[in-house]
Amino acid sequence: MLIETEPTPNPATLKFLPGRTVMDTGTRDFATPEEAEVSPLADALFALGDVTGVFFGRDFISVTAAPGVDWPSLKPDVLGILLDHFSANMPLFRQGSAAGFSVPPAEGDFGDDPEDADIVTQIKELIETRVRPAVANDGGDIVYRGFDKGKVFLQMQGACAGCPSSTATLKNGIEQLLKHYVPEVTEVRAV
């Protein structure tokens, strides 16, 4: 089995492509070892001690190294865990964990005004069709959190969370796209 790797715009994160589907539906972001306990794979990656984030996409896994960690020394360990996991056809999640897909936490969502339903639908469609595929190419994901008085609130995940270029991506890319197609949008903010 060959697992390809790709750099991401975030120098702390590498994208690993096992050549097969990782998540059938949705995505899953693990920011702590405690969150990773539902997944044998994420748990094993965090157990390396030098990993601060794991993200499962449709056909990739993004792994974020701790500050100061040298990827050339960490990469063989990560590849070994991934190879063992996929070669043995191990489950991605522990049985009974109900953790097979990401359901963003409700406390991070903003209550959308029902009067803005058409605007919100347009925003969500643009994010789904134009933004998410591009962000996934960089090893991450973006989640809609809300729309309030012209401001769109988005959460960056995976390689995009904490990426030095994520602010530029939000302001110069996503914000301009949304403003162009949805004139009611005045600003995009990360949450």
Side-chain angles (χ1 to χ4, degrees):
M1 172 177 200
L2 174 68
I3 297 179
E4 295 180 43
T5 60
E6 292 180 0
T8 70
N10 184 347
T13 305
L14 278 182
K15 182 177 173 181
F16 295 85
L17 300 134
R20 63 174 65 174
T21 300
V22 175
M23 293 277 296
D24 289 322
T25 59
T27 61
R28 186 62 194 258
D29 191 31
F30 302 97
T32 67
E34 293 76 25
E35 290 175 8
E37 290 174 358
V38 297
S39 168
L41 179 56
D43 199 23
L45 291 167
F46 271 100
L48 291 172
D50 292 330
V51 171
T52 60
V54 176
F55 180 81
F56 296 156
R58 187 182 63 75
D59 62 352
F60 67 90
I61 297 107
S62 291
V63 178
T64 302
V69 172
D70 185 34
W71 261 114
S73 63
L74 179 59
K75 186 176 172 181
D77 294 334
V78 171
L79 282 170
I81 289 170
L82 294 174
L83 280 168
D84 290 347
H85 180 87
F86 287 108
S87 294
N89 290 317
M90 294 173 61
L92 198 56
F93 295 98
R94 289 189 166 78
Q95 199 168 26
S97 68
F101 57 91
S102 177
V103 177
E107 72 268 5
D109 289 337
F110 295 78
D112 291 329
D113 187 334
E115 291 182 20
D116 293 331
D118 289 340
I119 295 168
V120 169
T121 299
Q122 291 175 28
I123 292 167
K124 286 181 175 180
E125 183 177 327
L126 284 166
I127 290 168
E128 191 65 33
T129 60
R130 295 287 207 59
V131 178
R132 288 186 80 208
V135 173
N137 282 339
D138 288 339
D141 198 8
I142 191 162
V143 178
Y144 172 84
R145 289 293 185 209
F147 176 76
D148 184 41
K149 297 178 181 116
K151 296 178 188 81
V152 178
F153 298 92
L154 303 172
Q155 179 183 7
M156 307 296 270
Q157 295 181 331
C160 299
C163 176
S165 63
S166 66
T167 301
T169 299
L170 277 174
K171 291 296 178 186
N172 300 330
I174 300 167
E175 183 174 278
Q176 294 307 315
L177 173 81
L178 292 178
K179 282 180 172 180
H180 177 77
Y181 288 104
V182 186
E184 294 85 356
V185 172
T186 59
E187 184 181 358
V188 174
R189 291 187 183 175
V191 292

